[in-house]
Each structure stands twice: as C-alpha cells, then as structure tokens.
Amino acid sequence: MMRRSTAAALVLLAAGPLPGAESAAGQPAISRAPYLQCATPTSMCVVWRTAQRITPVVRFGPSLENLSRQVSGAAITTRVGLSANKTEVQLFTHRWPDAATLPRLHSAPAGTFQYEAHLTGLAPDSQYYYQVFDGDRPLFERGPSYHFRTHPLPGTPKSIRFGTFGDSGTGREKQRQVWQALIEFTTRDNRPMDFFLHLGDMAYNRGRDIEFSTRFFAPYEATLRNTVFWPSFANHEAYTSKGTTAVGPYFDAYVCPTNGQAGGVASAHEGFYSFDYGRAHIISLNSHDEDRRPTGRMAQWLKRDLAQTRAEWIIAFFHHAPYSKGSHDSDREKQMIEMRTYIVPILEAGGADLVLSGHSHIYERSMLLDGAYATPTVSEHVILDDGDGDPKGDGPYRKPAGRVPNAGTVQIVAGHGGATIRRKATSPIMRKTILDHGSVLVDIQGDTLTAHMIDIHGDVRDTFSLVKRGAPTPMRLAYPWVPAPWIAAKAPPSSDEIGGYPPDSYAELIPRNAEWQYLAGDHPDGDSWTKLGFDARWWKTGETGLGYPSANADV
C-alpha cells in the first residue's frame, strides 16, 4: 500500500472497460440482467437489455438439461434507446438500419437494446428453466437460478406466498438489509415467494432510467430472474414517467397485462391492471396521476373487474395510503384523501380482504374495518373487530366464507422498504404502528390469510390472520380500542442518511475497490496524462476504496 505524501503527486486513471462495453470474449455486455414479467398460467415474459444489437433467442424447457424449446424473431419485441443528436442517430441507423423503425425507449442510454421475449404454450403451475442467447452464443452461464413457475389456473386450491413493500429504491444500506432479511426468512422457512408486489417509489429520486437500473434492477437481480415483481405507479416514478399516457422509464421497465391475459377485465392501460393467482385476484392501481373519482376510467374499470371475478380472495395494492400518520398525513394530502373517499368504497363493496399501500415511510396495520371514508379519519362505527388479529393473541379476524361485500378489510401501509422512516402521529384505525424498516410477507392457505411484518434483522414484529369461514355477522363498534397517543422521541444524533451514505440522486460510475493505474512519488511530467491516448502502461496498478467510507481508502 502506498500513501500520498505532501511532496509527491498522486494521479489515478480508472482501469478496465466502462459499463456496457464488450467482454473479453467479445460478448455484448448485458446492461440489464434478465428478469420476469407478466406471468399467466400459460405464458411468461423474459426481459433483458444489452449495450449493442444482438440476435435474441431464449431457450427454455422443463429442466436445465432439456432446454428444448425456444423463442426468437417476431416472438421477441425489441426496443431501442437513441441519442438526441441527429448525427449520432444517423451513424447508429447506418449500422443497424431497422433501428429507426423499432419502438423507442424513453431515456435509456443511446445504443441500448431491450428485448421482451414472450414464452407461450406453457403448462399451468409448472416449472421451467431458461437461458438467453445471441444467436447460438449464450449470454450467461446456464444455472438453476434462471427458472420460473407459471401461475396456477384461476380457482386452483393452492397455497400462496408473496412479499411486499414500497419506497425502497434508495440504493442505500437499509434497502439491502430489508431485502436480505426477507430472503433469509423465506430460505429458513424453505418456502420461496410466488411473486412480489411493489408499492411504488422503487427508483429514487426521480425515477430516471439509470435510477431504475442501479436502485431497483441491480439490488434485486438475483430474485428478479426467477420471481415476477408486479409494480404500481408512484410519485417518484412520475418525475420522469407519465401514468396517464404510460410513457417513461417506468413503463419501459415493466410489461403489465393490459388485455386481461393474466385474469380480470382488460384495462387497456399499464398504469392499472389485475391478475389471478389460484384463488386470489390481485389489483394494481395508479393512485398518483389517474382520475380517482368514481366517474374516471380507473374507477369504472375497477367496478367491472370486481364484478366479474370469482376469486375468493381480493387484494389491492397501490402507492398512496388511504390511512396513515407516518411521513405523510392521509388527512392532508389530495391523493390519499381521494383514494380513501372514492376508491376504498369500491374495493370494500367488491369484497376486498387486504389493501396494501406505501408512500408513508412507516409500517402501519389496521384493525378489521369498513366504511372509514371521512376526513379526518375516525374509528367510531367503522371498526368491525378491534382485536390484534394475532392467532396467539386476541385471535384472528373473521369474515364470512366466500366473498361478501363490506364484511371487513385490513389496510397495511408498508412504505418502510428502505427510505428514511418518519412518523407524525397515530391513525385511530391502526392496531399496529412500527417505526422501523422491513417488509411484509403474506401467506394464504385455504380459508386463512396470515401476514407477518419482518424487520431488517429478520425478526417478526407483527402478525395477524384473517379467516373466512362460516357466517359471522359484522358488528360496528361504537367505542373501539384506541391506540396510545404517540409522543415523538428526541431525534438521535445520526441516522441511516447521515455520514457516508450517498445522496438520493447519484450514479455509481466506479465500483468500490476498483483497480486504478497510479503514479506516486514521481511527477507526471506536464499535462500529457490528461490527454486522450496517453500511454500509462508504465504506471503501477492497484485497488482502492477511493471515495468510499473505508479504512482502506488509500492506494
């Protein structure tokens, strides 16, 4: 190790290819690793990006040794990122003439190609393995983690497990800890997630293409290759994407079922959609910039969708929490008030069991409730069961078997996926309020739904169950349980966003402990080293944590 002295100059040049360059073997670099989208009982979509044009092929089959089927050609949609510079576009399209006719990526780096491979004719509830190729050349090593399972047919009596959180995409340590704790929990349980519901704000700070790559796709890459993340549109994505027109990096990233192909009524819009998984019907809504009024297209579609489904379990997810006193106050913000006033009544009339939301950076979980549409929110006469819902505590919440309108819903705010947590007060309808980072894991087994809040240490901090059995009669409580008043503690001297953590808007151009070329103890002899083409082969090389909070930050 060499340390810089006051008498010696230290000059560093980054060594190695820039991200997106070809590998040593001449393979086009994958700039966004393969991930799964838009699962149905008979189809799956595999999406990936490269930094230059390839001949895309996906081979798949029932085992790693038997990838006997493939998709290519017209079965793969290709999109392209083009420069705003006309000269560069002309050079680019001269090399790839058809690039000018391809669908455009909104703001991806120039020269980016995105491929969306539609695998069809699959068997329901069946596992497949896959590998991505450039013609006959594999783009990555074949391995067991590149697999997927198709959805069971609607109505199939199969157990369901899914994870959820929102407000995660900071790129900071808390985001990593939350995810690691959830994955380790499911690994210990020997029961992986069937899918994941993201509640929005997945790419801080402005939902740019590079922020999606570094703060969503990179952190979750190992799971995205075998588990579908179903998205919901949120305010931070809306800085660069527009929900009403479905344009921007958010809509480039996701392939959502607009034609009803995954179950439910066709929405004709990627901003809101639904899908079936066995006996559950799951609904994603755009709470940010869609018209939330009952006359709007989203609310009208939601009514039709709920009317046609025959699923026993109804779950809705979106970004803006109808009830919260965390970092956002649901009695003061327009989107939150309107979701409570206009959308929640439709969901409850349609027999919704669980409503998941984020936006407020906290974990909050309600009692069993129905009809809490007023502003400000009150608990009198809208709580049907004021117990804690814990099977080991007051006992599970109970509803009639099947789907019964207005028989009670549990609301969860899970905006604690990585962003700074905050709390303003206590919502009167909440049974649990926890100011800590974490995730929510939901299991449905037969007539019972059970949810756990798992913190960043992998500990279960809240559990409730909802049992749909028999014909219990809902009773509205005039004087329900009242949560204790909350008094803000004195702020600690530091937090997860103080010190060595990067700001919200950044891109990691040089990785930690990158190898550099350097000159130490000598003079660079003028400024020739600053010019392109400078020959630095005689300089020394070494790794350093330069720019990172590390005890080994010196070459």
Side-chain angles (χ1 to χ4, degrees), residues 164-168 199 204 319 321 323-330 336 357-365 411-427 430 432-440 453 486:
T164 186
F165 55 59
D167 307 83
S168 63
L199 306 176
Y204 285 104
H319 185 62
Y323 311 94
S324 182
K325 296 290 183 179
S327 61
H328 294 272
D329 188 337
S330 59
M336 301 171 84
S357 57
H359 191 52
S360 204
H361 302 170
I362 196 169
Y363 173 80
E364 298 167 293
R365 192 264 295 170
Q411 295 269 348
I412 295 180
V413 181
H416 59 332
T420 304
I421 49 177
R422 297 188 182 93
R423 182 176 181 180
K424 297 178 182 294
T426 300
S427 173
M430 293 297 175
K432 284 291 181 72
T433 301
I434 300 174
L435 191 62
D436 202 354
H437 291 94
S439 60
V440 176
M453 190 290 230
W486 181 75

Side-chain angles (χ1 to χ4, degrees), residues 64 129-130 141-148 222-223 225-227:
L64 281 172
Y129 295 84
Y130 69 95
E141 292 293 329
R142 183 180 303 188
S145 65
Y146 292 96
H147 70 266
F148 61 82
T223 305
R225 68 181 61 162
N226 52 51
T227 305

Side-chain angles (χ1 to χ4, degrees), residues 177-230:
Q177 289 177 320
V178 167
W179 187 245
Q180 181 177 334
L182 176 60
I183 294 301
E184 289 179 351
F185 186 96
T186 59
T187 300
R188 290 194 304 270
D189 216 20
N190 197 29
R191 174 66 169 93
M193 294 176 286
D194 297 310
F195 54 88
F196 191 90
L197 306 180
H198 201 292
L199 306 176
D201 282 1
M202 55 197 69
Y204 285 104
N205 195 32
R206 304 182 68 84
R208 296 178 299 159
D209 192 274
I210 190 172
E211 290 171 326
F212 269 99
S213 292
T214 59
R215 301 179 184 182
F216 179 78
F217 287 103
Y220 307 130
E221 177 185 330
T223 305
L224 286 163
R225 68 181 61 162
N226 52 51
T227 305
V228 177
F229 277 50
W230 297 91

Side-chain angles (χ1 to χ4, degrees), residues 389-467:
D390 190 337
K392 297 181 180 179
D394 297 335
Y397 300 128
R398 297 188 178 276
K399 295 180 61 174
R403 272 180 59 217
V404 177
N406 302 100
T409 302
V410 175
Q411 295 269 348
I412 295 180
V413 181
H416 59 332
T420 304
I421 49 177
R422 297 188 182 93
R423 182 176 181 180
K424 297 178 182 294
T426 300
S427 173
I429 57 95
M430 293 297 175
R431 198 57 167 79
K432 284 291 181 72
T433 301
I434 300 174
L435 191 62
D436 202 354
H437 291 94
S439 60
V440 176
L441 189 64
V442 179
D443 288 291
I444 301 177
Q445 182 72 48
D447 62 4
T448 301
L449 179 152
T450 302
H452 301 291
M453 190 290 230
I454 302 166
D455 69 15
I456 59 173
H457 306 293
D459 295 328
V460 175
R461 301 282 297 279
D462 181 35
T463 296
F464 79 90
S465 290
L466 180 60
V467 176

